[in-house]
Amino acid sequence: MRQRIVSLLAAGAAVALAGSWAGAAFADEKPILIGITTAIQVQVGRDCVDGAKLAIDEINAQGGVNGRKLQMAVADEGEAAAEGPKTGIAAVNKLTGEDHVDVLIGGYDSGVTLAELPHISRAKTIYLGIGSASPAIQQKVKDDYEHYKYIFRVNPINSAKQAKGLLDYITGMLKGELGYKRIAILGENAKWVQDMVPAMKTGAEAAGLQVPIAEFFDVQTADFSPIFAKVKESGAQYLMIILSHAASDVFVKQWYDAKVPVPIGGIDVKGQDANFFDRVGGKAISEVSTNFVLRAPLTPKTIPWWDSFVKAYNRAPVYTASGGYDAVYIYAGAAKRAGSTDTDAVIKELEKTDYMSARGRVQFDDLHEVKDGPGFVNELFVQWQQNGERKVIWPKDVANGKMIMPPWLVQN
Amino acid sequence: MSIHRTDWLGALVVLAALALVPAILGSTYVTGIMTVALCFAMWAASWDFMSGLTGRENFGHSLFIGAGAYTAGFLNVNFGASPWWSLAASPLVAVAFSLVIGFPTLRLRGPYFALAMLSGAAVMQSLTIIFSEYTGGQDGLNGLFPFFDSELAQYYLTLFFLAATVATLRLVANSPWGTILRAIRGDEASCQAAGINVTFYKIASLMISAAFAGLGGALYAHYQLQVGPDLFAIILSINIIIMVYVGGMGSIYGPVGGAILLILLTEALRAFSEYRLWVYTLILMLILFFLPQGLVAPLWRRLRTIVQ
Amino acid sequence: MAEILVYGAVISAIYAMLAVGFTLIFGVARILNLAHGSFYALGAYGVYALTADAHLPLFLAAPVAVLLVALFGVAVERVLVRPLRRSTLAVLMITLAVALMVEQVLLLIFGSEARNVPSMVNATFHVMGADVSGQRLLALSGAIVILSGLWFFMQRTRLGSAILAISQDAEAAQYMGIPSDRIYSLVMGLSAGIAAAAGVLVAPFQTVIPGMGLLPLVKAFAIVVVGGLGSIVGSIVGALLLGYTETIIAFKISIEWSQIVSVAAVLITLILRPAGFFGKRAAF
């Protein structure tokens, strides 16, 4: 009897000792907490989370960062249209104030991100933006480095640079290759578009093109027939579009159904989706849409990354997926080089980032913006062609296909 | 409808709780959410004062909120004025808006009045987006600065103004003014026949409602540090009406409870991730169906009779 | 010019369908049904789900979707509205809750991305010099057929007379033995069905997203109030006015201004004619 009790106590002591020793060992390995703020009810939000998760799983499988595992905490930014920025600000406060994350990754709506910035700055937490395009976000880094040094943009290229890319397309492709003399410009009335369009118009006119129409429409617009009619009447030969939150699906369907004799192209964020062509029943044929990543050998990493995302989640990624993925790796890299997660040390290392991603080579300029241009991340002009195939038709040095016309404009 | 001693006691208890909770829980997250809740409480109370008493449901309350918030934004961002100026200017601008929209529309009844106010707010929202050079368009005005560096101090300031708002509105609601407003809900023609200047009272109550809504707008702007067209949105007006309803229309303090409850609820449901809003709507539906008199005010009234 | 005529007609026809349903339920049961936009959205999603998931052919999916939504409308009236009928505000709030709930459920089931509903008519037609898609013309003709059917039903059938009677004097109608409760449910179903039909007709060329019902609800509300609450004729006139104002401004000035101008027009109408064009309580 006594023997039993003693051995029981001994066993208990051994277990307790082992447990506390194990506990002590793991207690040192507090995970690195990555906070994700994004609109989780929307596809771009889910892709940000999934892209980040893929990266976190890969890094953890290789041993983590500085001996610590990576862990994710997601906070919903809500839908900007319905809730305004207050849910996003609450999300930032929750992740920084309660969960004490080491880094924030996310963003989608520029208005929400801009509103979140002072709160992120107050919390002295690093923010790697992966979805908002407004230049005003990174401008703060230059205007007030001390307070906003925490803010980086990994993805996408900011809208001012995108505008330059569009102008390049207009002068090089539309005027240069196709010989067009007259174009129309149409954009949704988001702030970044309202800033972009006048610059595009001036640039196009300076290059000798006529721009009879440069108009905006409300994001909720469901009927584009007036604008198609006006464009047709104006004699424009091409319609440059800038759509992000707006109803791209309906836009192309109405364009196709009315057989508008003007080809369309430009920025169409929804048109970047791999299943966009099927979603609109093939009516997106010949639409050109800028894209940052698609299943093509942009870099040696692109196709393997694309395939591993599809394998893990059974769907094709959108641009925020590669943003979320890259942001995690970039932070992990900086933390490794700094040897710690101390914010200021990591910022110094982040500024020295040189990371080969699926989109291109990522380096930051002095505004903490991802660099664009040859060798870096590029804005590609991708066209939907027969059977939903996508071909890069511009810039010339990365093009892998010829541009086609809408089927009803093709002379037989 | 008089204010019992118990009412004052209850108000003090609630005030103390509101003051202590963020101080104890401490994080910027809780303080931030509570600040937002208090602003919504001000908007709900101000709505209730006009619409709850006179029965003229105003579907465009966001007009005054946006007016107050953008005033704060313009003064602060474009002119570098101190936030304290916003506290004076925002209510005044909101009142100006109420006069412009109120005079032509207050003779409208029921759904007509509701639609007119809704249209007023919708027009402002569209204008804000169209004239983006001046208003920052969809992204709004950024870079406002707060009253204090400490979020907690900012919270106490907001709490102070909420308390002042509720006290003022309650006192007016309980005065002969309030009686007249309620009489107008009952039978406007009789009031007119009895020699009461109905138009004056309707306009005045709208102005008071607008003033406090604008004040709330300024406080919100200097918390959020950004103002955007979402502050003119129809959905904002509708959310406030829901809060008033859940709180108990006509009581002024009920809507305060309703606003705080619903704002905290949207945050507390984060655990449901993408189901958050669905659960919220479900709870809302249950409240709206089973408690047509609201939740907060009837609860307090029952509590009061027990205490007495 | 021809474009304005044709496109304006299509938009007005859709607005008319939405407005008539809204004014019907108000005129008869004094219910300001804020879930009206949801019936519209459910019609569109219904036909999407039936074609994409249940693989029904389009010509079958459309009426089935309309029927299902009509039944849903009846259920909403029976279960949620009837117990609260005493308070108009309570009814308003519960229909609002239904609208919010439907949007969330659609979001959770179908996701936030726009859904594609195939066109019933794929050809493009040349009408008076304007290129119009066949689907739009179908929507226009569908609206005319449905509204004519409704008029016929109201004016020429016993049930229609019963509905008219209730809208004019509910108490008297009850004394005459007309079962008002059942009529209310029926009218709600009718109203929901018409809204759903509008959704089905426009789904191929409009955005099918969970929040698609809000703007049409606001427009229906505006049209009905401006046309005169409870007046079907007023709703049709109002729909034509709003539809053509929007189309003309969109074509002549810009799409951006078309929305704000129509809202401003509503406001001005209310200020100038406080009871709408055809007044409150005007019979059909």
Side-chain angles (χ1 to χ4, degrees):
Chain A
M1 186 59 190
R2 208 189 292 177
Q3 190 73 334
R4 276 253 200 103
I5 297 177
V6 171
S7 38
L8 211 56
L9 285 171
V15 169
L17 209 63
S20 65
W21 171 78
F26 284 122
D28 283 345
E29 292 178 17
K30 197 172 72 108
I32 298 180
L33 206 47
I34 298 183
I36 313 239
T37 55
T38 187
I40 63 175
Q41 284 187 317
V42 193
Q43 190 59 45
V44 285
R46 278 194 287 266
D47 271 34
C48 170
V49 173
D50 288 342
K53 187 164 187 306
L54 190 63
I56 289 175
D57 289 343
E58 284 175 11
I59 295 176
N60 282 347
Q62 289 161 20
V65 173
N66 303 339
R68 297 162 68 183
K69 297 273 183 208
L70 298 177
Q71 212 182 301
M72 188 167 75
V74 180
D76 186 13
E77 276 183 334
E79 227 232 281
E83 300 177 80
K86 74 176 192 299
T87 314
I89 293 174
V92 165
N93 282 338
K94 179 169 189 295
L95 291 173
T96 56
E98 294 234 327
D99 302 330
H100 301 290
V101 297
D102 296 291
V103 62
L104 285 168
I105 292 177
Y108 166 50
D109 184 285
S110 287
V112 175
T113 307
L114 280 166
E116 290 170 350
L117 288 183
H119 302 265
I120 297 173
S121 155
R122 238 187 207 168
K124 296 195 173 36
T125 308
I126 296 173
Y127 178 80
L128 300 173
I130 58 96
S132 308
S134 170
I137 295 171
Q138 297 304 131
Q139 185 60 34
K140 286 191 147 43
V141 173
K142 193 179 207 165
D143 295 340
D144 187 355
Y145 183 78
E146 205 31 58
H147 285 120
Y148 290 100
K149 61 189 175 187
Y150 310 93
I151 317 293
F152 289 79
R153 175 157 33 219
V154 169
N155 190 37
I157 298 175
N158 80 35
S159 50
K161 296 190 190 180
Q162 289 187 38
K164 248 179 16 139
L166 287 179
L167 200 54
D168 190 49
Y169 175 76
I170 292 174
T171 49
M173 178 56 123
L174 298 183
K175 176 162 190 265
E177 301 275 318
L178 298 170
Y180 286 149
K181 296 203 177 41
R182 227 184 225 178
I183 61 163
I185 305 178
L186 179 69
E188 68 184 40
N189 61 7
K191 182 77 176 30
W192 60 278
V193 181
Q194 287 165 323
D195 291 337
M196 199 193 269
V197 168
M200 274 170 67
K201 183 165 191 276
T202 331
E205 283 169 344
L209 289 145
Q210 287 180 347
V211 186
I213 296 181
E215 246 185 59
F216 301 103
F217 63 88
D218 192 80
V219 166
Q220 294 196 342
T221 305
D223 200 340
F224 299 97
S225 27
I227 195 67
F228 289 138
K230 280 210 303 213
V231 168
K232 207 170 68 166
E233 236 179 79
S234 72
Q237 296 160 299
Y238 199 89
L239 175 57
M240 291 295 298
I241 56 175
I242 306 165
L243 313 173
S244 167
H245 295 256
S248 309
D249 293 49
V250 165
F251 185 84
V252 299
K253 282 206 282 191
Q254 292 182 2
W255 167 76
Y256 184 96
D257 285 340
K259 301 223 178 340
V260 182
V262 180
I264 55 175
I267 296 178
D268 180 2
V269 174
K270 301 233 160 93
Q272 292 175 359
D273 293 352
N275 67 349
F276 182 70
F277 191 83
D278 294 324
R279 245 180 26 219
V280 296
K283 295 182 178 179
I285 185 152
S286 86
E287 185 205 16
V288 174
S289 165
T290 57
N291 215 329
F292 299 103
V293 66
L294 69 164
R295 196 178 183 280
L298 306 172
T299 76
K301 279 201 179 172
T302 315
I303 295 189
W305 173 78
W306 186 280
D307 290 341
S308 64
F309 188 93
V310 174
K311 188 155 156 242
Y313 301 109
N314 229 335
R315 63 174 197 274
V318 295
Y319 78 106
T320 43
S322 77
Y325 183 89
D326 295 340
V328 171
Y329 265 98
I330 287 172
Y331 178 78
K336 274 197 194 140
R337 293 195 298 276
S340 83
T341 54
D342 169 68
T343 308
D344 285 318
V346 174
I347 290 177
K348 287 220 171 4
E349 289 307 320
L350 279 172
E351 288 172 345
K352 299 190 211 141
T353 296
D354 189 0
Y355 169 75
M356 183 55 77
S357 83
R359 295 171 290 134
R361 195 163 171 193
V362 179
Q363 285 184 6
F364 296 116
D365 63 15
D366 57 347
L367 280 153
H368 291 179
E369 283 266 26
V370 54
K371 285 192 187 161
D372 66 325
F376 296 109
V377 178
N378 280 299
E379 191 178 30
L380 306 161
F381 286 79
V382 178
Q383 185 176 48
W384 288 104
Q385 300 193 344
Q386 252 78 350
N387 304 320
E389 253 199 86
R390 288 197 276 189
K391 289 274 184 319
V392 180
I393 54 139
W394 187 266
K396 271 205 268 206
D397 50 334
V398 287
N400 66 355
K402 276 208 65 151
M403 183 164 166
I404 64 171
M405 283 288 130
W408 55 90
L409 282 184
V410 175
Q411 245 63 342
N412 272 351
Chain B
M1 235 185 92
S2 53
I3 308 182
H4 304 178
R5 212 173 44 212
T6 343
D7 281 334
W8 286 113
L9 207 63
L12 278 165
V13 168
V14 168
L15 196 61
L18 287 175
L20 288 172
V21 159
I24 296 176
L25 289 181
S27 78
T28 48
Y29 174 55
V30 173
T31 314
I33 276 305
M34 289 299 298
T35 312
V36 171
L38 295 186
C39 291
F40 272 87
M42 282 184 77
W43 297 334
S46 58
W47 189 93
D48 195 28
F49 176 75
M50 194 261 163
S51 298
L53 293 185
T54 64
R56 300 299 182 78
E57 280 106 31
N58 169 9
F59 273 52
H61 204 51
S62 57
L63 178 65
F64 310 133
I65 297 174
Y70 268 92
T71 304
F74 280 128
L75 286 177
N76 200 223
V77 173
N78 293 358
F79 298 106
S82 147
W84 297 98
W85 282 107
S86 311
L87 293 180
S90 294
L92 287 173
V93 173
V95 167
F97 271 82
S98 73
L99 284 170
V100 170
I101 192 104
F103 267 114
T105 61
L106 272 169
R107 60 205 169 113
L108 301 172
R109 302 190 153 267
Y112 303 93
F113 177 66
L115 181 63
M117 297 302 293
L118 187 145
S119 312
V123 166
M124 278 313 292
Q125 187 182 24
S126 295
L127 287 176
T128 314
I129 295 174
I130 292 179
F131 291 104
S132 60
E133 294 162 58
Y134 308 101
T135 62
Q138 287 278 13
D139 293 349
L141 293 169
N142 286 281
L144 283 95
F145 38 99
F147 286 99
F148 308 106
D149 277 331
S150 148
E151 284 104 343
L152 201 59
Q154 179 109 358
Y155 172 75
Y156 284 129
L157 183 73
T158 315
L159 183 59
F160 166 74
F161 278 108
L162 174 66
T165 302
V166 177
T168 312
L169 291 177
R170 264 305 261 190
L171 284 170
V172 177
N174 276 47
S175 72
W177 260 66
T179 319
I180 293 178
L181 290 177
R182 276 186 221 100
I184 290 176
R185 171 169 61 192
D187 191 340
E188 193 171 320
S190 304
C191 290
Q192 193 87 50
I196 296 175
N197 188 347
V198 168
T199 315
F200 165 77
Y201 281 100
K202 284 199 286 190
I203 292 264
S205 65
L206 189 66
M207 283 167 68
I208 295 174
S209 172
F212 285 107
L215 180 64
L219 288 164
Y220 187 77
H222 287 292
Y223 158 73
Q224 186 159 272
L225 308 178
Q226 182 262 15
V227 295
D230 57 285
L231 290 172
F232 279 116
I234 296 172
I235 192 76
L236 178 61
S237 306
I238 291 182
N239 279 331
I240 292 170
I241 297 176
I242 294 177
M243 288 170 185
V244 171
Y245 195 78
V246 166
M249 264 179 77
S251 60
I252 312 277
Y253 63 84
V256 169
I260 295 178
L261 181 70
L262 290 181
I263 291 287
L264 290 181
L265 194 62
T266 45
E267 281 298 316
L269 294 174
R270 270 187 192 271
F272 286 94
S273 60
E274 64 255 37
Y275 294 95
R276 179 174 60 102
L277 288 176
W278 180 80
V279 176
Y280 175 78
T281 310
L282 188 64
I283 295 176
L284 209 58
M285 207 165 194
L286 293 170
I287 295 177
L288 293 173
F289 186 71
F290 289 110
L291 300 168
Q293 296 298 322
L295 179 64
V296 179
L299 199 67
W300 168 249
R301 282 193 275 263
R302 192 162 309 172
L303 216 66
R304 190 172 60 191
T305 44
I306 296 176
V307 166
Q308 279 176 331
Chain C
M1 186 55 200
E3 262 117 10
I4 295 181
L5 225 60
V6 177
Y7 282 105
V10 175
I11 284 284
S12 306
I14 299 298
Y15 284 164
M17 283 182 79
L18 288 167
V20 166
F22 193 74
T23 209
L24 195 62
I25 191 67
F26 182 84
V28 176
R30 299 286 176 267
I31 296 175
L32 264 179
N33 177 18
L34 293 182
H36 196 62
S38 307
F39 299 144
Y40 170 77
L42 284 170
Y45 271 99
V47 75
Y48 167 76
L50 289 171
T51 50
D53 296 334
H55 301 293
L56 251 63
L58 206 45
F59 70 90
L60 202 56
V64 170
V66 170
L67 191 62
L68 288 174
V69 177
L71 288 172
F72 175 66
V74 172
V76 166
E77 199 277 330
R78 204 55 199 72
V79 174
L80 294 172
V81 173
R82 197 179 292 188
L84 300 174
R85 186 95 47 87
R86 281 162 293 121
S87 159
T88 31
L89 190 60
V91 168
L92 192 82
M93 300 305 284
I94 202 71
T95 57
L96 176 61
V98 168
L100 295 171
M101 182 58 100
V102 166
E103 185 179 338
Q104 281 305 309
V105 169
L106 288 175
L107 182 62
L108 288 169
I109 297 180
F110 295 100
S112 60
E113 301 310 312
R115 293 287 138 201
N116 180 42
V117 177
S119 294
M120 287 163 226
V121 180
N122 262 312
T124 308
F125 292 87
H126 211 69
V127 180
M128 297 195 275
D131 282 318
V132 191
S133 74
Q135 186 63 38
R136 282 183 198 256
L137 293 175
L138 181 64
L140 175 60
S141 13
I144 295 176
V145 166
I146 290 174
L147 290 174
S148 316
L150 182 70
W151 181 86
F152 186 83
F153 169 73
M154 300 292 280
Q155 298 288 342
R156 296 289 150 92
T157 69
R158 273 199 69 184
L159 201 48
S161 318
I163 295 175
L164 277 173
I166 297 219
S167 79
Q168 282 171 342
D169 191 335
E171 238 179 82
Q174 259 196 297
Y175 289 147
M176 302 295 279
I178 297 177
S180 54
D181 272 352
R182 254 191 273 161
I183 298 283
Y184 292 152
S185 298
L186 176 71
V187 172
M188 189 68 142
L190 201 55
S191 163
I194 299 177
V200 164
L201 288 170
V202 307
F205 62 89
Q206 298 257 307
T207 324
V208 179
I209 49 169
M212 68 188 283
L214 176 63
L215 210 53
L217 171 68
V218 174
K219 300 229 165 119
F221 185 38
I223 291 170
V224 162
V225 171
V226 163
L229 276 161
S231 162
I232 289 191
V233 173
S235 299
I236 297 181
V237 171
L240 283 165
L241 278 169
L242 191 72
Y244 271 102
T245 307
E246 275 183 15
T247 313
I248 293 172
I249 303 281
F251 271 82
K252 290 295 171 201
I253 304 180
S254 92
I255 296 188
E256 229 186 349
W257 283 96
S258 69
Q259 296 302 313
I260 188 176
V261 168
S262 29
V263 172
V266 167
L267 194 51
I268 292 171
T269 312
L270 283 172
I271 293 173
L272 296 177
R273 278 195 72 89
F277 281 117
F278 291 86
K280 256 186 331 180
R281 297 191 201 289
F284 298 126

